[in-house]
């Protein structure tokens, strides 16, 4: 099933520079998100998807794909012609994994014939790729953020893939994202569990027919 919901009300956190994400968490807390649940501002309305809490930002549509049990398999934020796909994964407490993951993504893209280059972005090194699709070449921008025992991966599509300034409200969502890692031990890189909020699950169930979600 695909469930879409537009959110209202939101804000943007200050875009301060941070040299090292993990060190910033150990110090006074992150200057902006994605935040760990323990560091997140509590004055923001968010959509609770379990491991990810997505801030309510005007004009941003949250598209969630889930199985019949309500387990979320994909989260995509949409604003106009731009989209941001989100994923969150387990990581070690002592070090980030984005550098390693980024290199594996790069190798995979190159192996598929994509044109790939690295670029310095607000969160550190990003991947910019042009991939071949049935509809023609498509630009993608991969962003990774290492937090305490987690990593968020975002993939921009549309104009935001080549021009970060075009991300607008989608960048606001990423800045205000909150990760609820939980205390359970998990293998490194395992996706953290996502689920539909109760009201969304109930609405999805009401609209489903037998055998469908």
């Amino acid at each position: 099933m695909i469930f879409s919901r537009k959110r209202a009300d939101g804000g943007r956190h200050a875009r301060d520079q941070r040299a090292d994400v993990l060190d910033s968490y150990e110090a006074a807390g992150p200057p902006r998100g994605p935040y760990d649940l323990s560091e997140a501002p509590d004055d923001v309305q968010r959509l609770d998807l379990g491991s990810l809490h997505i801030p309510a930002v005007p004009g941003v549509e949250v598209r969630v794909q889930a199985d019949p049990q309500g387990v979320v398999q994909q989260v995509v934020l949409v604003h106009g012609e731009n989209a941001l796909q989100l994923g969150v994964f387990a990581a070690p407490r002592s070090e980030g994994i984005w550098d390693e993951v980024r290199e594996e993504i790069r190798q995979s893209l190159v192996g598929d014939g994509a044109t790939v280059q690295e670029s310095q972005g607000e969160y550190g090194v990003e991947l910019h790729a042009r991939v071949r699709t049935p509809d023609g070449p498509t630009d993608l921008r991969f962003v990774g953020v290492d937090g305490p025992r987690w990593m968020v991966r975002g993939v921009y599509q549309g104009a935001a893939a080549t021009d970060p300034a075009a991300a607008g409200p989608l960048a606001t969502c990423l800045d205000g994202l909150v990760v609820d890692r939980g205390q359970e031990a998990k293998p490194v890189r395992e996706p953290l569990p996502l689920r539909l909020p109760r009201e969304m699950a109930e609405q999805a169930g009401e609209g489903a027919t037998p055998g469908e979600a």
Side-chain angles (χ1 to χ4, degrees):
M1 56 152 280
I2 298 290
F3 187 99
S4 300
R5 184 177 185 180
K6 289 190 177 180
R7 309 294 293 170
D9 298 331
R12 187 172 184 80
H13 301 293
R15 290 180 168 278
D16 298 329
Q17 294 292 327
R18 55 177 161 186
D20 186 285
V21 175
L22 298 180
D23 284 349
S24 72
Y25 275 102
E26 293 298 327
R32 62 182 168 108
Y35 298 98
D36 189 71
L37 182 64
S38 63
E39 303 284 356
D42 58 7
D43 58 348
V44 178
Q45 181 185 3
R46 301 184 182 92
L47 179 64
D48 183 353
L49 297 179
S51 295
L52 283 181
H53 299 188
I54 300 173
V57 175
V60 174
E61 184 179 3
V62 181
R63 298 182 180 178
V64 178
Q65 180 176 345
D67 65 17
Q69 287 70 46
V71 178
V72 174
Q73 299 169 322
Q74 182 171 285
V75 178
V76 180
L77 311 184
V78 178
H79 180 262
E81 298 300 316
N82 291 317
L84 172 62
Q85 182 178 350
L86 294 173
V88 60
F89 307 88
R93 181 182 297 275
S94 59
E95 61 183 356
I97 60 174
W98 171 236
D99 287 345
E100 185 177 343
V101 170
R102 186 180 69 250
E103 176 58 21
E104 293 181 0
I105 294 173
R106 188 192 69 80
Q107 292 180 8
S108 177
L109 290 168
V110 170
D112 289 337
T115 301
V116 185
Q117 64 179 7
E118 292 189 341
S119 178
Q120 189 70 27
E122 289 183 308
Y123 289 101
V125 182
E126 305 176 344
L127 278 183
H128 295 235
R130 174 162 289 185
V131 301
R132 294 177 292 187
T133 72
D135 298 326
T138 297
D139 291 308
L140 302 173
R141 178 162 62 96
F142 295 80
V143 178
V145 183
D146 287 311
R149 300 175 66 219
W150 52 259
M151 182 200 76
V152 168
R153 183 194 64 205
V155 185
Y156 282 103
Q157 300 180 54
T162 54
D163 179 12
L170 295 182
T172 301
C173 287
L174 184 59
D175 283 352
L177 199 68
V178 174
V179 178
D180 183 356
R181 167 63 174 79
Q183 299 302 315
E184 182 180 351
K186 294 183 180 298
V188 173
R189 301 196 194 187
E190 178 176 300
L192 298 181
L194 299 172
R195 55 169 171 73
L196 290 176
R198 179 179 299 176
E199 67 273 16
M200 294 175 70
E202 290 175 352
Q203 184 174 340
E206 292 171 359
T209 58
E212 297 181 354

